[in-house]
Amino acid sequence: GEKVEQHESTLSVREGDSAVINCTYTDTASSYFPWYKQEAGKSLHFVIDIRSNVDRKQSQRLIVLLDKKAKRFSLHITATQPEDSAIYFCAASRASSGQKLVFGQGTILKVYL
Amino acid sequence: EAAVTQSPRNKVAVTGGKVTLSCNQTNNHNNMYWYRQDTGHGLRLIHYSYGAGSTEKGDIPDGYKASRPSQENFSLILELATPSQTSVYFCASGVDRGRGDTQYFGPGTRLLVL
Protein backbone atom coordinates (compact mmCIF):
# COMPACT_ATOMS: atom_id res chain seq x y z
CA GLY A 1 0.00 0.00 0.00
CA GLU A 2 0.86 3.67 -0.13
CA LYS A 3 3.61 4.97 2.13
CA VAL A 4 4.22 8.64 2.76
CA GLU A 5 7.53 9.71 4.24
CA GLN A 6 7.98 13.12 5.78
CA HIS A 7 11.66 13.90 5.78
CA GLU A 8 12.04 16.51 8.47
CA SER A 9 10.90 15.52 11.94
CA THR A 10 11.68 18.98 13.34
CA LEU A 11 12.49 22.28 11.68
CA SER A 12 13.51 25.53 13.34
CA VAL A 13 13.50 28.80 11.40
CA ARG A 14 13.92 32.43 12.28
CA GLU A 15 10.86 34.61 11.97
CA GLY A 16 10.66 36.05 8.48
CA ASP A 17 12.65 33.24 6.88
CA SER A 18 11.14 30.49 4.73
CA ALA A 19 10.45 26.94 5.86
CA VAL A 20 10.34 23.93 3.56
CA ILE A 21 8.87 20.53 4.46
CA ASN A 22 9.42 17.64 2.09
CA CYS A 23 7.39 14.48 1.57
CA THR A 24 7.74 11.50 -0.71
CA TYR A 25 5.14 8.90 -1.63
CA THR A 26 5.25 5.45 -3.19
CA ASP A 27 1.94 4.96 -5.02
CA THR A 28 2.15 6.28 -8.58
CA ALA A 29 -1.67 6.34 -8.68
CA SER A 30 -1.88 8.92 -5.88
CA SER A 31 -3.33 12.16 -7.21
CA TYR A 32 -4.39 14.24 -4.22
CA PHE A 33 -1.92 15.72 -1.74
CA PRO A 34 -3.25 17.79 1.17
CA TRP A 35 -1.40 19.39 4.05
CA TYR A 36 -2.79 19.71 7.57
CA LYS A 37 -1.66 21.81 10.51
CA GLN A 38 -1.93 20.83 14.16
CA GLU A 39 -1.31 23.50 16.76
CA ALA A 40 -0.23 22.47 20.23
CA GLY A 41 -2.93 20.50 22.02
CA LYS A 42 -5.42 20.95 19.21
CA SER A 43 -6.89 19.04 16.32
CA LEU A 44 -5.83 19.06 12.69
CA HIS A 45 -7.08 21.54 10.17
CA PHE A 46 -6.58 21.74 6.45
CA VAL A 47 -4.16 24.34 5.11
CA ILE A 48 -3.58 23.68 1.42
CA ASP A 49 -3.68 20.90 -1.14
CA ILE A 50 -2.50 20.10 -4.65
CA ARG A 51 -3.83 17.71 -7.27
CA SER A 52 -1.74 15.87 -9.80
CA ASN A 53 -2.93 17.95 -12.75
CA VAL A 54 -0.76 20.87 -11.58
CA ASP A 55 2.78 21.15 -10.22
CA ARG A 56 2.47 24.33 -8.19
CA LYS A 57 -0.19 25.95 -6.05
CA GLN A 58 -0.03 29.03 -3.87
CA SER A 59 -2.31 30.35 -1.17
CA GLN A 60 -1.00 33.54 0.41
CA ARG A 61 2.30 32.58 2.14
CA LEU A 62 1.92 28.86 1.41
CA ILE A 63 3.28 27.23 -1.74
CA VAL A 64 2.98 23.55 -2.58
CA LEU A 65 5.16 21.97 -5.25
CA LEU A 66 4.55 18.55 -6.77
CA ASP A 67 7.13 16.51 -8.71
CA LYS A 68 5.30 13.45 -9.98
CA LYS A 69 8.40 11.92 -11.58
CA ALA A 70 10.25 11.95 -8.28
CA LYS A 71 7.06 11.21 -6.31
CA ARG A 72 7.85 14.16 -4.11
CA PHE A 73 5.86 17.13 -2.88
CA SER A 74 6.78 19.96 -0.59
CA LEU A 75 5.26 22.75 1.47
CA HIS A 76 6.96 26.13 1.44
CA ILE A 77 5.97 28.66 4.07
CA THR A 78 7.33 32.10 3.22
CA ALA A 79 7.87 35.01 5.62
CA THR A 80 7.27 32.76 8.61
CA GLN A 81 5.50 34.08 11.68
CA PRO A 82 5.38 32.74 15.25
CA GLU A 83 1.81 31.54 14.67
CA ASP A 84 3.14 29.19 11.98
CA SER A 85 4.69 27.11 14.78
CA ALA A 86 2.83 23.78 14.75
CA ILE A 87 3.04 20.21 13.52
CA TYR A 88 2.49 19.89 9.78
CA PHE A 89 1.31 16.67 8.18
CA CYS A 90 1.43 15.79 4.53
CA ALA A 91 -0.88 13.15 3.11
CA ALA A 92 -1.67 11.40 -0.16
CA SER A 93 -4.60 9.57 -1.67
CA ARG A 94 -5.90 8.18 -4.90
CA ALA A 95 -8.86 10.02 -6.38
CA SER A 96 -10.91 6.84 -6.43
CA SER A 97 -10.07 5.53 -2.99
CA GLY A 98 -12.97 7.04 -1.07
CA GLN A 99 -10.62 9.72 0.12
CA LYS A 100 -8.48 7.32 2.11
CA LEU A 101 -5.60 9.49 3.18
CA VAL A 102 -2.18 8.13 4.10
CA PHE A 103 -0.34 10.57 6.35
CA GLY A 104 3.31 11.31 6.85
CA GLN A 105 4.77 11.23 10.34
CA GLY A 106 4.55 14.98 10.88
CA THR A 107 7.08 17.83 11.06
CA ILE A 108 7.34 20.04 14.12
CA LEU A 109 7.96 23.58 12.90
CA LYS A 110 9.31 26.09 15.38
CA VAL A 111 9.54 29.73 14.40
CA TYR A 112 11.81 31.72 16.71
CA LEU A 113 12.31 35.45 17.04
CA GLU B 1 -17.15 25.68 8.98
CA ALA B 2 -17.63 21.95 9.28
CA ALA B 3 -18.57 20.71 12.74
CA VAL B 4 -17.30 17.39 14.03
CA THR B 5 -17.62 16.56 17.71
CA GLN B 6 -16.27 13.63 19.69
CA SER B 7 -17.11 12.13 23.06
CA PRO B 8 -15.68 11.51 25.50
CA ARG B 9 -12.72 13.86 25.21
CA ASN B 10 -10.71 11.88 27.72
CA LYS B 11 -11.13 8.27 28.79
CA VAL B 12 -9.33 5.96 31.17
CA ALA B 13 -10.11 2.29 30.63
CA VAL B 14 -8.93 -0.98 32.12
CA THR B 15 -7.30 -3.74 30.13
CA GLY B 16 -9.96 -6.12 28.85
CA GLY B 17 -12.74 -3.60 29.20
CA LYS B 18 -15.00 -2.34 26.42
CA VAL B 19 -14.58 1.20 25.16
CA THR B 20 -16.85 3.10 22.78
CA LEU B 21 -15.73 6.35 21.20
CA SER B 22 -18.43 8.44 19.55
CA CYS B 23 -18.33 10.94 16.74
CA ASN B 24 -21.03 13.24 15.41
CA GLN B 25 -20.95 15.49 12.36
CA THR B 26 -23.52 18.04 11.28
CA ASN B 27 -22.18 18.62 7.78
CA ASN B 28 -24.15 15.94 5.98
CA HIS B 29 -20.88 14.44 4.73
CA ASN B 30 -21.09 10.93 3.37
CA ASN B 31 -17.65 9.83 4.47
CA MET B 32 -16.41 9.48 8.03
CA TYR B 33 -13.08 8.24 9.33
CA TRP B 34 -11.39 7.10 12.52
CA TYR B 35 -7.65 7.68 12.95
CA ARG B 36 -5.24 7.24 15.78
CA GLN B 37 -2.27 9.52 16.33
CA ASP B 38 0.94 8.23 17.85
CA THR B 39 4.30 9.96 18.00
CA GLY B 40 6.45 8.88 15.07
CA HIS B 41 3.53 7.46 13.12
CA GLY B 42 1.47 10.47 12.18
CA LEU B 43 -2.18 9.54 11.76
CA ARG B 44 -3.17 6.03 10.82
CA LEU B 45 -6.59 5.06 9.46
CA ILE B 46 -8.49 2.50 11.54
CA HIS B 47 -11.95 2.32 9.96
CA TYR B 48 -13.98 4.46 7.61
CA SER B 49 -17.49 4.66 6.24
CA TYR B 50 -19.15 5.76 3.02
CA GLY B 51 -22.55 6.30 4.59
CA ALA B 52 -25.10 4.98 7.05
CA GLY B 53 -24.83 1.24 7.50
CA SER B 54 -21.40 0.93 5.87
CA THR B 55 -18.04 0.36 7.51
CA GLU B 56 -14.72 -0.45 5.87
CA LYS B 57 -11.38 -1.54 7.29
CA GLY B 58 -8.58 0.96 7.16
CA ASP B 59 -4.88 0.32 7.49
CA ILE B 60 -4.82 -0.81 11.15
CA PRO B 61 -8.26 -2.33 11.96
CA ASP B 62 -7.16 -5.15 14.26
CA GLY B 63 -8.72 -4.85 17.72
CA TYR B 64 -11.28 -2.27 16.60
CA LYS B 65 -14.83 -2.35 15.31
CA ALA B 66 -16.85 0.50 13.85
CA SER B 67 -20.52 1.32 13.57
CA ARG B 68 -22.29 3.91 11.39
CA PRO B 69 -25.95 3.87 12.41
CA SER B 70 -26.77 7.18 10.73
CA GLN B 71 -25.32 9.82 8.44
CA GLU B 72 -24.32 11.88 11.48
CA ASN B 73 -22.85 9.28 13.82
CA PHE B 74 -19.83 7.03 13.62
CA SER B 75 -18.55 5.01 16.58
CA LEU B 76 -15.30 3.20 17.25
CA ILE B 77 -15.52 0.19 19.54
CA LEU B 78 -12.71 -1.50 21.40
CA GLU B 79 -14.24 -4.77 22.61
CA LEU B 80 -11.22 -5.82 24.69
CA ALA B 81 -9.03 -2.80 25.29
CA THR B 82 -5.27 -3.29 25.56
CA PRO B 83 -2.52 -0.89 26.71
CA SER B 84 -1.24 -0.73 23.11
CA GLN B 85 -4.48 1.05 22.21
CA THR B 86 -3.52 3.99 24.41
CA SER B 87 -3.49 6.85 21.94
CA VAL B 88 -5.26 9.96 20.71
CA TYR B 89 -8.18 9.15 18.42
CA PHE B 90 -9.49 11.53 15.80
CA CYS B 91 -12.71 11.33 13.87
CA ALA B 92 -13.07 13.13 10.57
CA SER B 93 -15.73 13.68 7.94
CA GLY B 94 -15.60 14.62 4.30
CA VAL B 95 -17.46 14.71 1.03
CA ASP B 96 -16.43 12.34 -1.71
CA ARG B 97 -16.49 13.78 -5.20
CA GLY B 98 -14.10 11.17 -6.47
CA ARG B 99 -11.14 13.52 -6.69
CA GLY B 100 -9.93 14.01 -3.12
CA ASP B 101 -11.37 16.63 -0.81
CA THR B 102 -10.80 18.26 2.54
CA GLN B 103 -11.40 16.22 5.66
CA TYR B 104 -12.71 17.97 8.76
CA PHE B 105 -11.40 16.68 12.05
CA GLY B 106 -12.96 16.48 15.46
CA PRO B 107 -11.15 17.65 18.61
CA GLY B 108 -9.81 14.19 19.46
CA THR B 109 -10.26 11.71 22.29
CA ARG B 110 -7.36 10.90 24.54
CA LEU B 111 -7.59 7.24 25.63
CA LEU B 112 -5.46 5.69 28.32
CA VAL B 113 -5.72 1.93 28.82
CA LEU B 114 -4.27 0.75 32.12
Side-chain angles (χ1 to χ4, degrees):
Chain A
E2 169 77 286
K3 285 184 170 45
V4 177
E5 293 284 337
Q6 205 159 335
H7 294 236
E8 297 82 10
S9 56
T10 60
L11 188 57
S12 292
V13 299
R14 186 184 298 275
E15 183 182 6
D17 288 350
S18 292
V20 182
I21 304 171
N22 294 288
C23 290
T24 53
Y25 61 98
T26 58
D27 186 354
T28 53
S30 286
S31 60
Y32 177 63
F33 307 92
W35 289 84
Y36 287 82
K37 177 182 181 182
Q38 184 179 35
E39 294 167 18
K42 296 192 176 179
S43 187
L44 286 79
H45 69 265
F46 169 86
V47 289
I48 192 170
D49 61 12
I50 191 166
R51 293 188 170 84
S52 58
N53 59 336
V54 297
D55 54 19
R56 184 183 191 277
K57 183 174 181 180
Q58 180 166 1
S59 174
Q60 299 182 316
R61 296 186 296 109
L62 303 179
I63 301 169
V64 181
L65 302 178
L66 174 63
D67 181 343
K68 292 189 291 292
K69 264 190 184 175
K71 292 198 286 243
R72 184 199 323 264
F73 58 113
S74 57
L75 175 66
H76 299 245
I77 307 174
T78 62
T80 53
Q81 300 169 0
E83 53 265 37
D84 295 328
S85 296
I87 305 175
Y88 289 82
F89 293 95
C90 61
S93 78
R94 294 183 174 193
S96 59
S97 69
Q99 260 189 268
K100 280 179 55 182
L101 289 175
V102 177
F103 283 84
Q105 301 92 324
T107 296
I108 300 171
L109 174 64
K110 299 177 185 176
V111 179
Y112 60 92
L113 299 176
Chain B
E1 172 106 4
V4 181
T5 56
Q6 294 181 231
S7 63
R9 294 293 312 279
N10 293 279
K11 174 75 178 177
V12 179
V14 295
T15 297
K18 182 176 180 178
V19 176
T20 300
L21 307 183
S22 299
C23 178
N24 177 274
Q25 55 105 355
T26 58
N27 313 303
N28 200 31
H29 288 163
N30 286 338
N31 293 2
M32 296 186 74
Y33 309 84
W34 276 107
Y35 297 91
R36 61 178 284 176
Q37 181 179 18
D38 304 285
T39 303
H41 289 280
L43 274 77
R44 292 179 290 174
L45 182 64
I46 306 169
H47 283 288
Y48 61 105
S49 169
Y50 292 121
S54 95
T55 60
E56 305 288 338
K57 292 181 179 179
D59 298 320
I60 54 163
D62 292 347
Y64 302 93
K65 290 184 180 178
S67 173
R68 181 90 182 266
S70 65
Q71 179 84 334
E72 297 78 21
N73 296 295
F74 190 37
S75 297
L76 186 68
I77 303 144
L78 290 67
E79 295 276 6
L80 294 168
T82 69
S84 64
Q85 294 174 313
T86 292
S87 188
V88 180
Y89 292 84
F90 287 99
C91 175
S93 74
V95 299
D96 187 354
R97 291 175 279 206
R99 56 167 197 162
D101 273 293
T102 304
Q103 291 188 14
Y104 297 88
F105 284 81
T109 294
R110 192 172 295 272
L111 174 65
L112 173 62
V113 182
L114 299 173

